[in-house]
Amino acid sequence: MSARPEPPIAGAAFVALALFIGSWALLHVGFYTHKELLDTPVYQNYGNAIARGEVPYRDFAVEYPPGALPMFALPGLAEPGHGQDVTIGFRHVFETLMWLCGAAALLAMAATLRALGAAQPRLWTALAFAALAPLAIGSMLLSRFDLWPAALIAAALAAFVAGWMRTGSVLLGVAISAKLYPAVLVPLVVTYIWRREGRREALACLGLLVGVVMAVFAPFLALSPHGVWHSLTVQLSRPLQIESLGAALLVAAHHLWGYTVTMESSHGSQNLSGHTAHVFSVVSSVLQILALLTVWTLFARGAASRERLVVFSAAALAAFVALGKVLSPQFLIWLVPIVPLVRGRRGLSASLLLGTALVLTQVWFPFRYWDYANHFEPAASWLVLARDMTLVCLFAVLLTERAREPVRN
């Protein structure tokens, strides 16, 4: 029997990069440039403070973990100043870094698919989806640093499925230090390594991962433990954000039955206030935790195959995004390099749902965001709810085991 031919990984990756370049360029023209909501002024304030020699967390408050700082510090050297009117140099360097992260994520996806022995249709479909996703995400992609942790997760997953467990552990540790959400993958990868390589290797990889996170945090903890702790507690104590599923349900009740909802701005976002909103916030957090526990448990009970690691990694990320008390539009960026990797009809269904969620988000964000936030404009409200329910369906599709699907190593 002849050996199965290698899929044309290099050619597919080259085409995907070309499509990604085209998509990125289109984000700078036409309606994509209208009513932008930028985070880059905040990032520039951080970057310029670092360029002046100020120490993050000690001399100025930072909202994000230390692993995110390079994405602010490097562009901060490009142009001094503050405010949205003087960010041309900063934005250029920052967008270049994000483009490089996006390209790295595509290459990591190609490496994962190669390790999985993906057939050509799956290879081309997954890479094309990710390469064209910027057009569905919109200009938000240009002014958020989320491609940095997303690329690190994609690279870590590629390392794990290729058998480079320690390399994957280091990359995942860096991802967690950049934005905490990749921690939801730790139980999956520890189980995966334990089952495939043994307890000793699993504990060694876990120690390596924790060591990387501690190494990134340690200098700032030494200089300003209170500042670092404050940056973490601010994120954990956020109220019910208006784009979350819980908030979208309360806003729907407002339109259907006249239930009173009130928006207040805090923690860098717009949120719902009041006792009921607080209850929904707690319930959302509990559901999120239960969903993650379900993902981890189901993975541990099944085969520790590379295909299942990909599926359950996507499911864990989808659970975190869909069911939490906070759901900012940029959270969807986290799913783009992982969900298309899922094989078979489940993967196609999941990609279709993710694509729908991306488009539903762009229809109202950023163009009608303030209409929704300030006035709960009906059309935008129903679009937010539809997007959130689509993400719940995405999680359900990813979590559903297919009995007829073959288990692969």
Side-chain angles (χ1 to χ4, degrees), residues 150-172:
L152 288 168
I153 288 180
L157 187 60
F160 287 128
V161 299
W164 301 342
M165 306 305 184
R166 299 193 179 191
T167 300
S169 299
V170 170
L171 290 168
L172 186 56

Side-chain angles (χ1 to χ4, degrees), residues 116 122 157 188 295 299 305-318 338-339 341-343 346-347 395 397-401 405:
L116 294 172
R122 178 185 178 189
L157 187 60
L188 297 176
V295 171
F299 180 74
S305 69
R306 294 177 296 179
E307 293 283 5
R308 291 188 80 246
L309 178 64
V310 170
V311 172
F312 281 86
S313 295
L317 293 173
I338 308 300
V339 170
L341 298 175
V342 177
R343 70 184 297 270
R346 172 165 49 179
F395 168 63
V397 166
L398 290 169
L399 195 63
T400 303
E401 292 273 17
E405 283 188 358

Side-chain angles (χ1 to χ4, degrees), residues 41-314:
V42 177
Y43 301 163
Q44 186 176 23
N45 287 338
Y46 296 153
N48 291 337
I50 295 171
R52 292 194 300 268
E54 298 181 30
V55 177
Y57 309 104
R58 187 192 69 183
D59 300 330
F60 61 96
V62 180
E63 181 181 351
Y64 306 105
L69 294 176
M71 298 300 105
F72 314 143
L74 293 175
L77 300 173
E79 180 177 345
H82 300 277
Q84 204 159 317
D85 294 332
V86 290
T87 59
I88 296 175
F90 183 95
R91 286 191 66 177
H92 177 73
V93 178
F94 179 80
E95 288 182 14
T96 300
L97 288 174
M98 291 303 100
W99 182 89
L100 291 172
C101 288
L106 279 173
L107 294 177
M109 291 178 67
T112 299
L113 291 165
R114 183 181 187 278
L116 294 172
Q120 291 193 34
R122 178 185 178 189
L123 171 69
W124 288 93
T125 301
L127 293 180
F129 179 95
L132 296 173
L135 300 179
I137 296 171
S139 60
M140 167 189 66
L141 192 68
L142 303 175
S143 65
R144 305 297 192 276
F145 79 96
D146 294 81
L147 276 172
W148 167 232
L152 288 168
I153 288 180
L157 187 60
F160 287 128
V161 299
W164 301 342
M165 306 305 184
R166 299 193 179 191
T167 300
S169 299
V170 170
L171 290 168
L172 186 56
V174 177
I176 293 170
S177 70
K179 205 160 188 176
L180 300 178
Y181 78 90
V184 303
L185 302 181
V186 173
L188 297 176
V189 301
V190 171
T191 301
Y192 176 76
I193 299 170
W194 192 309
R195 300 273 294 279
R196 294 179 73 93
E197 305 293 337
R199 181 181 65 177
R200 178 176 296 181
E201 182 65 14
L203 293 177
C205 289
L206 179 60
L208 194 59
L209 187 155
V210 173
V212 169
V213 176
M214 292 180 63
V216 175
F217 273 83
F220 302 98
L221 282 170
L223 292 169
S224 180
H226 175 75
V228 174
W229 178 249
H230 177 72
S231 72
L232 298 176
T233 55
V234 163
Q235 294 298 317
L236 295 175
S237 63
R238 291 181 66 174
L240 189 69
Q241 196 246 2
I242 61 168
E243 301 167 54
S244 65
L245 176 61
L249 291 172
L250 288 177
V251 173
H254 165 73
H255 290 299
L256 292 174
W257 303 296
Y259 177 79
T260 300
V261 288
T262 304
M263 186 276 286
E264 65 175 17
S265 296
S266 65
H267 296 75
S269 64
Q270 286 63 54
N271 318 292
L272 293 187
S273 61
H275 175 72
T276 304
H278 176 70
V279 171
F280 270 59
S281 175
V282 173
V283 171
S284 295
S285 297
V286 171
L287 289 175
Q288 184 186 58
I289 293 170
L290 291 176
L292 288 170
L293 288 172
T294 301
V295 171
W296 300 335
T297 301
L298 289 177
F299 180 74
R301 289 180 175 177
S305 69
R306 294 177 296 179
E307 293 283 5
R308 291 188 80 246
L309 178 64
V310 170
V311 172
F312 281 86
S313 295

